Amino acid sequence: MPLKLKGQTVIKVNANNGDLVNLASLPPAGCYTWTNDNTAIGLSLASGAGNVPSFTAKNKGTAPITATITATTIPLNQYAYIGSTKDQTLSVINLVTNVEEAVVPINSEVWGIAVSPDDRYVYIGSSKVLLGGTVNNLITKFDTKFKKVVATLNAGAQVLKVSPDGGTVYFNGVMYDSNLSAQTGTYRTNGFSLALSPDGTKIYTTASVYDIPTKTLTLLNTGGSFDLVISPDGKKLYAAAASATGISVYDIATNTKHIITTGQPSANIAISPDGSRVYVDNYQTGDVVVIDAATEQVVKVLKTGFTHKGISVGLGGDRLICIDESGGSVAYNTIDYSMVKRFTAGGTAANLLGKFTSTGTCYAPTVTYNITVYPQPAIINTSGTLSAMTTTYGTPSPTPGSFTVSGSDLDGGIRVLPPTGFEVSIDQTNFKDDLTIPAIGTNLPNTTVYVRLKGTAPVNSYGGNVVLSSAATSINIAIPTSSINKAPLTVSSKTIKKVYGAVLSGSVVTTDVVAPGLKNNETIGTITLTYGSGGKATDPVSIYVGAVKVAAATGGTYTPTNYTNPPTYVGGDLEVVGAPLTVTAEDKERFYGDPNPVFTFKYSGFVNNETVAQLTTLPIGNSVGPNAAIGKYPITVSGAAAPNYTFNYVPGTLTVKSTLVTVNTAFTPNDDGINDTWEINKIGQYSNCTVEVLNRYGEKVFYSMGYPTPWNGKRGGANLPTGTYYYIIKLTSSIKPLTGYLTIIR
């Protein structure tokens, strides 16, 4: 069965615009989350946790606005701890899921239970008669987080309590530290049961009160004989009496007592965490009587149908647990007192004893704040008027109009919204279509607002109102009819170039014109150009002044109605430039030492069916001389001329091939100018050859890499004698060397 919280608290809050709203704290601390269904009231948060923060109420309208803030508790688990005398166990029951999560062996009959204020530890008083009649008394400390026993003390108690600060355990007239490791004091009692004052300074029983600081015992006539509880505010004691037909109420401040009649005797007693309900049971009949603490009237008699060994209230007052004497326990919902679940706590024990106690503090009624914020309209004041304005399209009106505005009780400032065609500013530099003048707090001192026609607004007449607003308050500043006039526009052609042989006719282009009068970065989409002289394919190279005509500007982002229409069109010149003609030298070849052949050429690029006959000067080719080594050489081209062409030259290739090398076998180096050196015909075609000369003794008398200078018959500057010598000529590595005999004659 889902958890139900008993009732809710509704708090109504009224505020005016600008009021500081502080909502009441949400107890218990740290347990609540909340939602806000209307952030327009001034609380900008739609949700949060803990207490609702303070905020400044906000309503600049004309009618009240409302919001509902709903605070609910965070669903934390809460547990009940029930002890068994027969089974000698402690049952751990989750009151949210209604599941018995653990059964802890105590190995002794449970007679009393107390829980630390932070819900972390449960203290269990128990006893057991051993063989031979010895009684084993124990107090056991149980860790609720890890569900295990963490300490024991060889002492026992049917009634025990933990101090509000969690530091002391009280039982049988002694005080122990929370770890059960040392006795910290004693106290005196005269009566049954125990109750501690909320501040932890007094110990109450059914017949006495012990003041811990002064160590003073005072007898009380509570009228109770079995069980008692103290109200959460510490002002009243409620005591059950098995021999009476009601319960006793003892007023601590006045030291007086009176009876709440229930019509039956009582044994066990419990109180809700907020002190609003007191529950007492009839041990014999199994009835549970529910008493309204404020009116002291019986509001419900719950007939459980079984006798009890304890009752208690959990989940912030929303769950009533009755311990069944015959075994187990039963949970009831305190909204309608329907049964939630029956537990077989501690197994099937015939007798379950011990004061039931539940942990957890995050179950409390829903708190609802109904907030109404009443309006306080903003006040806007102005001075000054606006005059009619005039400008030309593309240029804001040169002299803005102005007025002064101020305000109080503002909602963040004053919004200034001009009519179509206008823009506003407060510094005469930064103009906007819509601006908000920030307030200082809720006030705005006198501020000048400047108004002008926009440079981007199209040609037209404009007027209307500047609207000044803050929340629901608005006023108007009228602008007389103003006008934006057409801007002058000139569209001019650049000098148009075309290549000789091309044809120009009426065409649509935009890159060949300029229109510096265009405004706002506008562009013209299409322009028609027509051409006079120079437009034909056969028109020769020249500049034809005024041959380009401009017309029909349209399209793009350009709107003709914003300019003089039609624009002023200015023509341009047409320049015919030479057609490119490519002259390519044809490849040639020759033998080493031979003169170059006649160079010939190919032509590409003639137009109008023209031929080489149009050339006024024919091209010429040039390459290496006859003594160039074997290899490939470029044939360069130059010198061509024609009135309607420009030239692009492409070189050809001259291939020099090898020819026969012949060796003279004698020479006369006598300086007569005739046959003074050793000539080797055509040797120059082999630039990397080697030439070697040996005497008859095999000695090398001459050596040369290549043969750039013919040998003069000398060795080391001295003339060699007349005689026969042996030569070795290595032309390349792939050609057999030339060898033979050489004669020097002097």
Side-chain angles (χ1 to χ4, degrees):
M1 181 176 180
L3 173 66
K4 296 180 181 179
L5 297 180
K6 184 175 68 177
Q8 66 174 359
T9 301
V10 178
I11 301 173
K12 293 185 178 181
V13 178
N14 294 328
N16 293 318
N17 175 68
D19 288 350
L20 181 64
V21 178
N22 291 296
L23 300 181
S25 297
L26 293 167
C31 288
Y32 277 91
T33 59
W34 51 267
T35 58
N36 171 23
D37 68 355
N38 188 1
T39 58
I41 63 169
L43 178 60
S44 60
L45 301 175
S47 61
N51 292 325
V52 181
S54 60
F55 63 93
T56 300
K58 180 179 178 181
N59 185 353
K60 292 297 183 178
T62 58
I65 58 176
T66 62
T68 299
I69 298 176
T70 304
T72 56
T73 51
I74 303 168
L76 298 178
N77 284 332
Q78 191 176 57
Y79 291 89
Y81 300 93
I82 301 175
S84 167
T85 56
K86 179 178 180 181
D87 291 349
Q88 302 177 17
T89 58
L90 180 74
S91 292
V92 180
I93 299 173
N94 188 322
L95 296 181
V96 175
T97 63
N98 298 315
V99 172
E100 185 179 49
E101 292 188 357
V103 177
V104 182
I106 301 300
N107 298 321
S108 185
E109 298 175 359
V110 176
W111 292 97
I113 296 175
V115 180
S116 63
D118 62 1
D119 303 328
R120 179 60 190 276
Y121 299 103
V122 175
Y123 296 88
I124 305 123
S126 63
S127 64
K128 182 178 183 181
V129 179
L130 304 177
L131 293 176
T134 303
V135 178
N136 182 24
N137 296 315
L138 291 176
I139 293 182
T140 303
K141 182 179 181 182
F142 175 73
D143 188 315
T144 63
K145 180 177 181 181
F146 297 103
K147 294 183 175 61
K148 66 178 183 178
V149 173
V150 295
T152 58
L153 175 65
N154 190 15
Q158 183 174 350
V159 180
L160 68 165
K161 293 290 182 182
V162 183
S163 62
D165 62 6
T168 304
V169 181
Y170 301 90
F171 60 91
N172 295 349
V174 297
M175 308 174 190
Y176 261 79
D177 64 70
S178 60
N179 293 324
L180 304 180
S181 59
Q183 182 176 326
T184 59
T186 61
Y187 66 92
R188 291 184 294 153
T189 62
N190 184 8
F192 190 73
S193 191
L194 283 180
L196 291 175
S197 62
D199 61 6
T201 62
K202 293 179 174 58
I203 302 174
Y204 293 92
T205 69
T206 55
S208 65
V209 57
Y210 181 78
D211 187 282
I212 296 174
T214 63
K215 299 182 180 180
T216 303
L217 178 68
T218 303
L219 297 180
L220 298 177
N221 182 18
T222 64
S225 60
F226 182 69
D227 199 8
L228 83 165
V229 294
I230 190 169
S231 62
D233 59 9
K235 294 181 178 180
K236 294 181 179 179
L237 285 175
Y238 297 92
S243 60
T245 58
I247 64 170
S248 298
V249 182
Y250 180 77
D251 189 298
I252 294 174
T254 63
N255 195 25
T256 58
K257 180 192 74 172
H258 63 278
I259 302 296
I260 297 177
T261 301
T262 63
Q264 54 183 294
S266 57
N268 298 291
I269 190 167
I271 191 168
S272 62
D274 62 0
S276 64
R277 291 288 187 269
V278 178
Y279 301 87
V280 293
D281 71 349
N282 184 324
Y283 175 81
Q284 295 175 342
T285 64
D287 296 342
V288 177
V289 178
V290 184
I291 301 171
D292 185 305
T295 64
E296 297 190 346
Q297 297 296 311
V298 174
V299 295
K300 177 72 175 180
V301 176
L302 176 62
K303 295 186 176 298
T304 67
F306 56 87
T307 56
H308 311 134
K309 280 296 183 179
I311 61 174
S312 190
V313 182
L315 296 184
D318 294 302
R319 187 76 82 246
L320 173 66
I321 303 293
C322 297
I323 300 174
D324 188 345
E325 182 182 39
S326 62
S329 60
V330 181
Y332 294 92
N333 191 308
T334 59
I335 296 176
D336 55 14
Y337 295 100
S338 61
M339 180 186 295
V340 176
K341 188 171 182 179
R342 175 180 287 277
F343 301 96
T344 308
T348 56
N351 192 17
L352 291 168
L353 293 176
K355 186 66 174 179
F356 167 85
T357 308
S358 60
T359 62
T361 56
C362 278
Y363 288 95
T366 297
V367 178
T368 300
Y369 300 97
N370 291 330
I371 300 173
T372 301
V373 178
Y374 294 92
Q376 183 177 350
I379 298 173
I380 302 175
N381 300 308
T382 63
S383 63
T385 59
L386 296 173
S387 302
M389 307 174 207
T390 302
T391 191
T392 300
Y393 175 73
T395 303
S397 49
T399 304
S402 65
F403 61 89
T404 300
V405 61
S406 62
S408 58
D409 295 321
L410 302 176
D411 180 21
I414 295 178
R415 182 187 183 191
V416 183
L417 183 65
T420 300
F422 294 89
E423 56 189 3
V424 289
S425 172
I426 57 174
D427 59 8
Q428 294 197 79
T429 300
N430 299 296
F431 281 84
K432 299 180 179 180
D433 297 341
D434 185 350
L435 68 81
T436 297
I437 308 173
I440 301 174
T442 58
N443 298 319
L444 177 68
N446 283 336
T447 301
T448 301
V449 177
Y450 300 92
V451 184
R452 70 182 185 185
L453 284 163
K454 297 171 60 176
T456 56
V459 170
N460 208 336
S461 295
Y462 295 93
N465 294 314
V466 178
V467 180
L468 307 172
S469 61
S470 181
T473 300
S474 67
I475 61 174
N476 297 330
I477 300 293
I479 304 178
T481 300
S482 302
S483 60
I484 297 178
N485 301 318
K486 294 184 177 183
L489 179 63
T490 298
V491 182
S492 304
S493 172
K494 302 176 184 177
T495 295
I496 305 300
K497 290 187 178 183
K498 78 141 194 163
V499 176
Y500 172 73
V503 178
L504 291 180
S505 59
S507 60
V508 178
V509 296
T510 58
T511 57
D512 293 332
V513 298
V514 292
L518 286 173
K519 305 298 183 181
N520 302 318
N521 297 314
E522 293 172 349
T523 59
I524 294 175
T526 62
I527 297 174
T528 299
L529 301 182
T530 57
Y531 308 96
S533 299
K536 295 182 294 184
T538 57
D539 287 340
V541 169
S542 183
I543 295 178
Y544 299 86
V545 178
V548 181
K549 306 300 180 182
V550 186
T554 187
T557 58
Y558 154 76
T559 302
T561 55
N562 289 328
Y563 299 89
T564 54
N565 197 18
T568 299
Y569 293 110
V570 178
D573 299 338
L574 176 59
E575 181 180 359
V576 179
V577 298
L581 182 65
T582 300
V583 182
T584 303
E586 296 183 305
D587 295 341
K588 301 292 182 180
E589 62 180 27
R590 66 171 173 83
F591 291 106
Y592 174 81
D594 292 347
N596 287 333
V598 175
F599 295 129
T600 58
F601 310 96
K602 294 184 295 184
Y603 300 88
S604 174
F606 283 114
V607 297
N608 299 327
N609 296 316
E610 294 174 348
T611 66
V612 70
Q614 298 297 315
L615 272 63
T616 57
T617 302
L618 294 175
I620 59 174
N622 191 32
S623 191
V624 296
N627 292 324
I630 297 170
K632 295 181 181 295
Y633 300 91
I635 303 172
T636 59
V637 190
S638 63
N644 292 321
Y645 292 92
T646 60
F647 291 89
N648 176 36
Y649 299 112
V650 178
T653 300
L654 173 64
T655 302
V656 178
K657 302 189 293 184
S658 64
T659 187
L660 183 65
V661 175
T662 59
V663 181
N664 291 334
T665 58
F667 70 106
T668 58
N670 52 12
D671 296 326
D672 61 357
I674 300 172
N675 198 27
D676 284 336
T677 58
W678 181 35
E679 297 297 330
I680 306 174
N681 297 321
K682 309 295 186 180
I683 190 69
Q685 63 189 305
Y686 298 104
S687 58
N688 294 321
C689 68
T690 61
V691 179
E692 202 173 359
V693 180
L694 307 174
N695 61 19
R696 62 179 178 172
Y697 302 109
E699 295 175 334
K700 186 185 296 185
V701 297
F702 175 77
Y703 178 83
S704 175
M705 175 69 74
Y707 199 63
T709 303
W711 185 38
N712 59 7
K714 292 183 179 183
R715 178 185 184 186
N719 291 329
L720 290 171
T722 297
T724 299
Y725 296 84
Y726 186 77
Y727 65 83
I728 303 171
I729 301 173
K730 297 178 180 178
L731 300 176
T732 68
S733 61
S734 61
I735 299 177
K736 182 179 179 180
L738 302 178
T739 60
Y741 292 96
L742 169 66
T743 302
I744 296 178
I745 303 173
R746 293 192 184 275

